Coordinates of all heavy atoms in Angstrom, one line a residue:
L1 N -37.8 27.5 23.1 CA -39.0 27.8 22.4 C -40.2 27.1 22.8 O -41.3 27.6 23.0 CB -38.7 27.8 20.9 CG -39.9 28.3 20.0 CD1 -40.2 29.7 20.2 CD2 -39.6 28.0 18.5
A2 N -40.0 25.8 22.8 CA -41.2 24.9 23.2 C -41.6 25.1 24.5 O -42.8 25.2 24.8 CB -40.6 23.4 23.0
H3 N -40.7 25.2 25.5 CA -41.1 25.5 26.9 C -41.8 26.9 27.0 O -42.8 27.0 27.7 CB -39.9 25.4 27.9 CG -39.6 24.0 28.3 ND1 -38.3 23.5 28.0 CD2 -40.2 23.1 29.0 CE1 -38.2 22.3 28.5 NE2 -39.4 22.0 29.2
F4 N -41.3 27.9 26.3 CA -41.7 29.1 26.3 C -43.2 29.3 25.8 O -44.1 29.9 26.4 CB -40.8 30.2 25.7 CG -41.4 31.6 25.7 CD1 -41.5 32.3 26.9 CD2 -41.6 32.2 24.5 CE1 -41.9 33.6 26.9 CE2 -42.0 33.6 24.5 CZ -42.1 34.2 25.7
D5 N -43.4 28.7 24.6 CA -44.7 28.7 24.0 C -45.7 28.0 24.8 O -46.9 28.4 24.9 CB -44.6 28.2 22.6 CG -44.0 29.1 21.6 OD1 -43.8 30.2 21.9 OD2 -43.7 28.6 20.4
M6 N -45.4 26.8 25.4 CA -46.3 26.2 26.3 C -46.7 26.9 27.6 O -47.9 26.9 28.0 CB -45.8 24.8 26.5 CG -45.9 23.8 25.3 SD -45.5 22.0 25.7 CE -43.9 22.2 26.3
V7 N -45.7 27.6 28.2 CA -46.0 28.2 29.4 C -46.7 29.4 29.1 O -47.7 29.9 29.9 CB -44.7 28.6 30.2 CG1 -44.0 29.8 29.5 CG2 -45.0 28.8 31.7
R8 N -46.6 30.1 27.9 CA -47.5 31.2 27.5 C -48.9 30.7 27.4 O -49.8 31.5 27.7 CB -47.0 31.8 26.3 CG -45.8 32.5 26.3 CD -45.6 33.5 25.1 NE -45.5 32.7 23.9 CZ -45.7 33.2 22.7 NH1 -46.1 34.5 22.5 NH2 -45.6 32.4 21.5
L9 N -49.2 29.5 26.8 CA -50.5 29.1 26.5 C -51.2 28.4 27.6 O -52.3 28.6 27.8 CB -50.4 28.1 25.3 CG -51.7 27.6 24.5 CD1 -52.2 28.9 24.0 CD2 -51.3 26.5 23.5
Y10 N -50.5 27.6 28.4 CA -51.2 26.7 29.5 C -51.0 27.3 30.9 O -51.4 26.6 31.7 CB -50.6 25.4 29.4 CG -50.9 24.5 28.2 CD1 -49.9 24.3 27.3 CD2 -52.1 24.1 27.8 CE1 -50.1 23.5 26.1 CE2 -52.3 23.4 26.7 CZ -51.4 23.1 25.8 OH -51.6 22.4 24.6
A11 N -50.4 28.5 30.9 CA -50.3 29.0 32.4 C -50.5 30.6 32.3 O -50.5 31.2 31.3 CB -48.8 28.8 32.9
H12 N -50.9 31.2 33.4 CA -51.1 32.6 33.4 C -49.7 33.3 33.5 O -48.6 32.7 33.6 CB -51.8 32.9 34.8 CG -53.2 32.5 34.8 ND1 -54.1 33.1 34.1 CD2 -53.8 31.4 35.4 CE1 -55.3 32.6 34.3 NE2 -55.2 31.5 35.1
S13 N -49.8 34.5 33.2 CA -48.5 35.3 32.8 C -47.7 35.6 34.1 O -48.2 35.5 35.2 CB -49.0 36.8 32.3 OG -49.5 37.5 33.2
W14 N -46.4 35.9 33.9 CA -45.5 36.3 34.9 C -46.2 37.4 35.8 O -46.0 37.4 37.0 CB -44.2 36.8 34.3 CG -43.2 37.1 35.2 CD1 -43.1 38.4 35.8 CD2 -42.1 36.5 35.8 NE1 -42.0 38.5 36.6 CE2 -41.3 37.4 36.6 CE3 -41.7 35.2 35.4 CZ2 -40.1 36.8 37.2 CZ3 -40.4 34.8 36.2 CH2 -39.7 35.6 36.9
A15 N -46.7 38.4 35.1 CA -47.3 39.5 35.8 C -48.5 39.2 36.7 O -48.5 39.8 37.8 CB -47.9 40.6 34.8
K16 N -49.1 38.0 36.4 CA -50.2 37.6 37.3 C -49.7 36.9 38.5 O -50.3 36.9 39.6 CB -51.2 36.8 36.5 CG -52.5 36.4 37.3 CD -53.6 35.8 36.5 CE -54.8 35.5 37.3 NZ -55.9 34.9 36.4
G17 N -48.6 36.3 38.4 CA -48.0 35.7 39.5 C -46.9 34.5 39.1 O -47.3 33.5 38.6
S18 N -45.7 34.9 39.3 CA -44.6 33.9 38.7 C -44.6 32.7 39.7 O -43.8 31.7 39.2 CB -43.2 34.7 38.9 OG -42.9 35.1 40.1
D19 N -45.2 32.6 40.8 CA -45.1 31.4 41.6 C -46.5 30.5 41.3 O -46.3 29.4 42.0 CB -45.2 31.8 43.1 CG -46.3 32.6 43.5 OD1 -47.1 33.2 42.5 OD2 -46.7 32.7 44.7
A20 N -47.1 31.0 40.3 CA -48.2 30.0 39.9 C -47.7 28.9 39.0 O -46.5 28.8 38.6 CB -49.2 30.8 39.0
L21 N -48.6 27.9 38.9 CA -48.1 26.7 38.1 C -47.9 26.9 36.6 O -48.7 27.6 35.9 CB -49.2 25.6 38.2 CG -49.3 25.0 39.6 CD1 -50.4 23.9 39.7 CD2 -48.0 24.3 40.1
G22 N -46.8 26.6 36.0 CA -46.5 26.6 34.6 C -46.7 25.4 33.9 O -47.8 24.7 34.0
V23 N -45.6 24.9 33.3 CA -45.6 23.6 32.6 C -44.4 22.7 33.1 O -43.5 23.3 33.8 CB -45.5 23.7 31.1 CG1 -46.8 24.4 30.6 CG2 -44.4 24.4 30.7
P24 N -44.3 21.4 33.1 CA -43.2 20.6 33.6 C -41.9 21.0 32.6 O -42.0 21.1 31.4 CB -43.5 19.2 33.2 CG -45.1 19.3 33.2 CD -45.5 20.6 32.5
V25 N -40.9 21.2 33.3 CA -39.6 21.4 32.7 C -38.9 20.1 32.5 O -38.6 19.4 33.5 CB -38.6 22.4 33.5 CG1 -37.4 22.5 32.9 CG2 -39.3 23.7 33.6
I26 N -38.6 19.7 31.3 CA -38.1 18.4 30.9 C -36.7 18.6 30.3 O -36.7 19.1 29.2 CB -39.0 17.5 30.0 CG1 -40.4 17.4 30.6 CG2 -38.4 16.3 29.8 CD1 -40.5 16.7 31.9
L27 N -35.7 18.1 31.0 CA -34.3 18.3 30.5 C -33.6 17.0 30.2 O -32.5 17.0 29.7 CB -33.4 18.9 31.6 CG -34.0 20.3 32.1 CD1 -33.1 20.9 33.3 CD2 -34.2 21.3 31.0
K28 N -34.3 15.9 30.3 CA -33.8 14.6 30.0 C -34.9 13.7 29.6 O -35.9 13.6 30.2 CB -33.0 13.9 31.2 CG -32.2 12.7 30.7 CD -31.4 12.3 32.0 CE -30.7 11.0 31.8 NZ -29.6 11.1 30.7
T29 N -34.9 13.0 28.4 CA -35.9 12.1 28.0 C -35.8 10.9 28.9 O -34.9 10.3 29.1 CB -35.7 11.7 26.6 OG1 -35.8 12.9 25.8 CG2 -36.8 10.8 26.1
D30 N -37.1 10.6 29.5 CA -37.2 9.3 30.3 C -37.3 8.1 29.3 O -38.5 7.8 28.9 CB -38.5 9.6 31.2 CG -38.6 8.2 32.0 OD1 -37.7 7.5 32.2 OD2 -39.8 8.1 32.5
K31 N -36.3 7.4 29.2 CA -36.4 6.2 28.3 C -37.1 5.0 28.9 O -37.4 4.2 28.0 CB -35.0 5.8 27.9 CG -34.2 6.8 27.1 CD -32.8 6.3 26.6 CE -32.1 7.4 25.9 NZ -32.0 8.7 26.5
T32 N -37.5 5.1 30.1 CA -38.2 4.0 30.7 C -39.8 4.3 30.6 O -40.6 3.4 30.9 CB -37.9 3.8 32.2 OG1 -38.3 5.0 33.0 CG2 -36.5 3.6 32.4
A33 N -40.1 5.5 30.2 CA -41.5 5.9 29.9 C -42.3 5.8 31.3 O -43.5 5.5 31.2 CB -42.2 5.0 28.8
Q34 N -41.6 6.0 32.4 CA -42.3 6.0 33.6 C -42.4 7.4 34.4 O -43.2 7.4 35.3 CB -41.5 5.0 34.6 CG -41.4 3.5 34.2 CD -42.6 2.8 34.0 OE1 -43.6 3.0 34.8 NE2 -43.0 2.3 32.8
E35 N -41.8 8.3 33.9 CA -41.8 9.6 34.4 C -43.1 10.3 34.4 O -43.8 10.2 33.3 CB -40.7 10.5 33.8 CG -40.7 12.0 34.6 CD -39.6 12.7 33.9 OE1 -39.0 12.4 32.9 OE2 -39.1 13.7 34.5
K36 N -43.7 10.8 35.5 CA -44.9 11.5 35.5 C -44.6 12.9 36.2 O -44.9 13.1 37.4 CB -46.0 10.8 36.2 CG -46.3 9.5 35.5 CD -47.6 8.8 36.3 CE -48.0 7.5 35.6 NZ -49.2 6.9 36.3
P37 N -44.1 13.8 35.4 CA -43.6 15.1 36.0 C -44.8 16.0 36.4 O -45.9 16.0 35.9 CB -42.9 15.6 34.9 CG -43.5 15.2 33.6 CD -43.9 13.8 33.9
A38 N -44.6 16.7 37.6 CA -45.5 17.7 38.0 C -45.2 19.1 37.3 O -44.1 19.1 36.6 CB -45.4 17.9 39.4
R39 N -46.1 20.0 37.4 CA -45.9 21.2 36.8 C -44.9 22.2 37.6 O -45.0 22.1 38.8 CB -47.1 21.9 36.7 CG -48.3 21.4 35.8 CD -49.6 22.0 35.9 NE -49.5 23.4 35.3 CZ -50.6 24.2 35.2 NH1 -51.8 23.7 35.8 NH2 -50.5 25.3 34.6
N40 N -43.8 22.6 36.9 CA -43.0 23.6 37.5 C -43.7 24.9 37.7 O -44.8 25.2 37.0 CB -41.7 23.8 36.9 CG -40.7 22.6 36.9 OD1 -40.9 21.6 36.1 ND2 -39.9 22.6 37.8
T41 N -43.3 25.9 38.5 CA -43.8 27.2 38.5 C -43.5 28.0 37.3 O -42.5 27.7 36.5 CB -43.2 28.0 39.8 OG1 -41.9 28.2 39.6 CG2 -43.6 27.2 41.0
V42 N -44.2 29.0 37.1 CA -43.9 29.9 36.0 C -42.5 30.5 36.0 O -41.7 30.4 35.1 CB -44.9 31.1 35.9 CG1 -44.5 32.2 34.9 CG2 -46.3 30.5 35.5
A43 N -42.0 30.9 37.3 CA -40.7 31.4 37.5 C -39.6 30.3 37.0 O -38.6 30.6 36.4 CB -40.6 31.8 38.9
E44 N -40.0 29.1 37.5 CA -38.9 28.0 37.1 C -38.7 27.8 35.7 O -37.8 27.5 35.1 CB -39.4 26.8 37.9 CG -39.1 26.7 39.4 CD -39.8 25.7 40.2 OE1 -40.7 25.0 39.7 OE2 -39.4 25.4 41.3
V45 N -39.9 27.9 35.0 CA -39.9 27.7 33.6 C -39.2 28.7 32.9 O -38.3 28.6 32.0 CB -41.4 27.6 33.0 CG1 -41.2 27.4 31.4 CG2 -42.1 26.4 33.6
Y46 N -39.3 30.0 33.2 CA -38.8 31.2 32.6 C -37.2 31.0 32.9 O -36.4 31.3 32.1 CB -39.3 32.5 33.2 CG -40.4 33.0 32.3 CD1 -41.7 32.4 32.6 CD2 -40.2 33.9 31.5 CE1 -42.8 32.9 31.8 CE2 -41.2 34.4 30.6 CZ -42.5 33.9 30.8 OH -43.6 34.4 30.1

């Protein structure tokens, strides 16, 4: 739900282009606080 709501808000829609930039997909909390993730594509988020 969190990833979906953010990709809807901060990225263009699937219909406009699923290869466009979405939001970072985060599957593990970085306990060192050093991670600087790039944006995944809309398709990767979905």
